[in-house]
Amino acid sequence: MGGTSRAGRGEWVSSRPRAERARQAADVLRQQITGGAFPGGTLPGERELGERLGASRNAVREALALLRAEGLITRRRGVGTTVVAAKHGHGLDRLAGLAEALTGHGTVANEVREIGRVPVPPPAVAARLGLAPGAGAVRVERLRRLEGEPLSLDTTYLPGDIGEGLLRRPDLGRELAERDLFGLIEEVAGQPLGRAEVQVHAVAAAPATAALLGVPAGAAIFAIDRLAHLADGRPVDSEAVHIRADRLTLRATLYRAPGPPGA
Amino acid sequence: MGGTSRAGRGEWVSSRPRAERARQAADVLRQQITGGAFPGGTLPGERELGERLGASRNAVREALALLRAEGLITRRRGVGTTVVAAKHGHGLDRLAGLAEALTGHGTVANEVREIGRVPVPPPAVAARLGLAPGAGAVRVERLRRLEGEPLSLDTTYLPGDIGEGLLRRPDLGRELAERDLFGLIEEVAGQPLGRAEVQVHAVAAAPATAALLGVPAGAAIFAIDRLAHLADGRPVDSEAVHIRADRLTLRATLYRAPGPPGA
C-alpha cells in the first residue's frame, strides 16, 4: 500500500512505491504512444514527459525502462527516445484478414512455409471443422511480414474440398504470397464468410516461434485461435496465429447492451 | 522449410523440424483445453494425446512442455497432466465489467489498493477524459481476485464529479470490494455506459506488477487500455488493466461485414 490507506475515503495519496508510480506512468504513456500522440515517433525529453504524465523524473525514467522492455520504444544516446515500430491496430470489431485490416499501413507479404494435403488431420482439428470420418484437410502455414519485418505466423487447416479448390488455382503461389486467405476461401467457396469465434491468449514465445518472428525467446506474443465459418454456417478455417505483440495491438469498440443492472 | 517445398502444390508434407510439429500440436491442444475438451481438468496420457493431435510421442511431449511454460498445464509424476486453472473467457463482444463477465465462474473479490483525489491529474489523462483546465480526478486502484487468486490489477481515473459521487457512497468500502466499477459509475451518473474503446497489448510483466499478480517476472500478461463513455458520449472511465493471461482468455465472435472483395 506504500503509505496509502486501504479503502481510504478521498484522502490525499502522497507516497507510493516508485515501481507503482512508474507502472502508472508507463500505462498512461503506452496509451499516448499507441493513441498516436507522437506522430513523428520521437518522444519529448524526460522533463516534458514528466509534466504530461504528472510523474517525477525518476518515475519517468523507470516507466521508459518498462516500455523499452515491452519493445515499444528504444532509447539511444544523442538520438533520444523513439517509438520502435508504429504499433498497428487490428480491429476486433469485424472479421478481417491481416492485409485487409492493415490497408494503408504498409504492404503485407507472406512467406509460404507449407501448403499440403493432410490425409489424416488431427482428430481434434477434424472435429472443429466438422469433417466426415476419413476426410482429409489441407494445411497452410505462412510467415507474414509487414514492410519486410515479421508480424505473424499463421497455421490454417481447411476442409479437403476448400483446400483442393485452393490447390487448383493457377496463380496460387503469388496469391498466397500477397493475399489474405479469407478472400481466397470466399472465392473458392463461392460465398462470403459469416462469423468467426476468436480466442486471444498472451503467451511467452517458444524459442522456435520466437526465431521465426524475430523476437527474443520468451517475449510476450499473442496466440490467437480463430475458427471461421462460411455465411451458411459451415466451419472452413481453423487457425492458430502467433502475432508479435510489439508490432500489433488488438482494438475494439465495445457497446454496453442491456444487462443485469449494476452487476 | 524442413523438407517442405515452398508453395508446393499438394505434395505430401512428411518432414518438418520437431519444434514446429510441437508448436502445431500445442496450438491444437490449447484450442482443446480452452474449448473445454477436458471437463475434469485431467489430460489423457501421451499416447492418446498423440492420437487426438495426430502427433508423435516426442512432439506431444514437447507440446506439453510449451503449454506448461505458458502456465496452462502442470505435469506431476503419479498425477499426470492437469489443467492448472480453468482459463476463463472475458467476452470482447460487449462492454462488461470483470465480475459481470465471470458470473457463474466464481466470486470476484477486490483488494482496494488506492482510492483518492488527484487534484492535478496527468495532462494526458485529463485530455482523455476531456477534463476542464484545473479540474481534478479520482484514482482507484484494485487488485482483483477470482476465487482468492489474483486475476487483474486495475487502475482507473474518473472525472472529479463522478469520483466525488463515488466517495460519498455510505457503503463504498464494501462496494469497491465486491462490485465492478461500471455499475457504480452508472448509479452515480444516473445513466448507463454507452461504449468503450479498448486496446489489448501482450507484455512481459514488470517485476512489481508480476509480484502483485502472483506470476514470475517477465510472464506474458495482457495490458488493456479502456476508455469508457456514458450513454451520452462523455468519457468517464480511463483504465489501465493488467490481466493474468494464464487465467483469462479474451473471446469474441466477429462478423464479416461487407468490405472490399477478396482483399
Side-chain angles (χ1 to χ4, degrees):
Chain A
M1 298 290 294
T4 309
S5 78
R6 194 165 180 142
R9 304 293 290 280
E11 72 275 41
W12 233 118
V13 176
S14 52
S15 77
R16 299 188 39 86
R18 191 206 295 172
E20 307 218 352
R21 293 195 313 269
R23 169 174 50 76
Q24 291 182 344
D27 287 339
V28 175
L29 187 52
R30 193 189 305 107
Q31 289 165 355
Q32 292 248 295
I33 290 172
T34 60
F38 310 105
T42 302
L43 270 58
E46 288 174 0
R47 199 176 55 179
E48 189 185 328
L49 277 179
E51 282 163 16
R52 281 196 193 218
L53 307 175
S56 69
R57 284 286 276 274
N58 279 337
V60 166
R61 260 183 222 128
E62 207 164 317
L64 290 171
L66 291 177
L67 296 183
R68 186 166 51 173
E70 287 182 15
L72 198 58
I73 57 169
T74 184
R75 307 193 74 187
R76 249 179 303 174
R77 195 177 293 276
V79 178
T81 306
T82 50
V83 176
V84 168
K87 261 212 173 189
H88 301 284
H90 191 154
L92 282 171
D93 298 314
R94 170 174 174 261
L95 183 57
L98 189 69
E100 202 178 332
L102 295 176
T103 300
H105 291 278
T107 305
V108 175
N110 312 306
E111 176 190 326
V112 181
R113 306 191 70 251
E114 178 187 9
I115 175 162
R117 295 185 181 90
V118 183
V120 186
V125 169
R128 259 166 81 90
L129 287 174
L131 301 185
V138 165
R139 186 167 57 205
V140 182
E141 186 166 291
R142 302 190 296 176
L143 181 63
R144 312 194 70 177
R145 292 190 174 86
L146 177 67
E147 298 291 318
E149 185 79 9
L151 185 60
S152 75
L153 178 65
D154 299 20
T155 309
T156 301
Y157 287 88
L158 307 167
D161 61 320
I162 303 285
E164 295 296 335
L166 204 62
L167 291 169
R168 278 195 297 271
R169 293 176 76 91
D171 202 16
L172 183 63
R174 190 187 57 76
E175 288 180 321
L176 286 177
E178 295 177 3
R179 293 180 56 183
D180 289 332
L181 269 184
F182 282 175
L184 296 173
I185 291 170
E186 289 176 325
E187 288 179 22
V188 167
Q191 64 172 298
L193 291 169
R195 69 174 203 283
E197 288 94 32
V198 177
Q199 297 200 61
V200 181
H201 311 269
V203 304
T209 306
L212 288 171
L213 288 176
V215 295
I221 60 171
F222 291 113
I224 297 185
D225 292 333
R226 189 160 61 176
L227 180 64
H229 305 254
L230 291 175
D232 67 11
R234 182 185 169 206
V236 288
D237 178 348
S238 175
E239 268 182 289
V241 189
H242 294 80
I243 302 183
R244 275 178 61 166
D246 59 336
R247 300 201 72 205
L248 201 84
T249 298
L250 304 175
R251 293 194 177 148
T253 299
L254 305 185
Y255 295 86
R256 189 148 173 91
Chain B
M1 298 290 293
T4 308
S5 78
R6 194 165 180 139
R9 304 294 289 279
E11 72 274 44
W12 232 117
V13 175
S14 53
S15 77
R16 303 197 24 95
R18 192 206 293 171
E20 306 219 352
R21 293 195 313 268
R23 169 174 50 76
Q24 291 183 343
D27 286 340
V28 175
L29 187 52
R30 193 190 305 107
Q31 290 165 355
Q32 292 249 294
I33 291 172
T34 60
F38 309 106
T42 301
L43 269 59
E46 288 173 0
R47 200 176 53 180
E48 189 185 327
L49 277 178
E51 283 163 14
R52 280 194 193 220
L53 306 175
S56 70
R57 283 286 276 274
N58 279 338
V60 166
R61 259 183 224 129
E62 206 164 318
L64 290 170
L66 292 177
L67 296 183
R68 187 164 52 171
E70 287 182 15
L72 198 58
I73 57 169
T74 184
R75 307 193 73 187
R76 249 179 303 173
R77 195 177 293 277
V79 178
T81 306
T82 50
V83 177
V84 167
K87 262 212 171 188
H88 300 285
H90 191 153
L92 282 172
D93 298 313
R94 169 173 173 262
L95 182 57
L98 188 69
E100 202 178 333
L102 295 175
T103 300
H105 292 278
T107 305
V108 173
N110 311 307
E111 177 189 324
V112 181
R113 306 190 70 249
E114 177 186 11
I115 174 163
R117 295 184 181 91
V118 183
V120 185
V125 170
R128 258 166 83 89
L129 288 174
L131 301 184
V138 166
R139 185 166 57 204
V140 183
E141 186 166 290
R142 302 189 297 175
L143 181 63
R144 313 195 70 177
R145 292 189 174 86
L146 177 67
E147 298 290 317
E149 187 78 10
L151 185 61
S152 75
L153 179 66
D154 299 20
T155 308
T156 302
Y157 287 88
L158 308 167
D161 61 320
I162 302 285
E164 295 296 335
L166 203 63
L167 292 169
R168 278 195 297 272
R169 292 176 76 92
D171 202 15
L172 182 63
R174 190 186 58 76
E175 288 180 322
L176 286 177
E178 294 177 4
R179 294 181 54 185
D180 289 333
L181 270 184
F182 282 176
L184 295 172
I185 291 170
E186 290 176 326
E187 288 178 23
V188 167
Q191 64 172 297
L193 291 169
R195 68 175 203 282
E197 288 95 31
V198 178
Q199 297 200 61
V200 180
H201 312 270
V203 304
T209 305
L212 288 170
L213 288 176
V215 296
I221 60 172
F222 291 114
I224 297 184
D225 292 333
R226 189 160 62 177
L227 180 64
H229 305 254
L230 291 174
D232 67 11
R234 181 185 168 206
V236 288
D237 178 348
S238 175
E239 270 182 286
V241 188
H242 293 80
I243 302 184
R244 275 178 60 167
D246 59 337
R247 301 201 71 206
L248 202 85
T249 297
L250 303 175
R251 293 195 177 147
T253 299
L254 305 185
Y255 295 87
R256 189 147 173 93

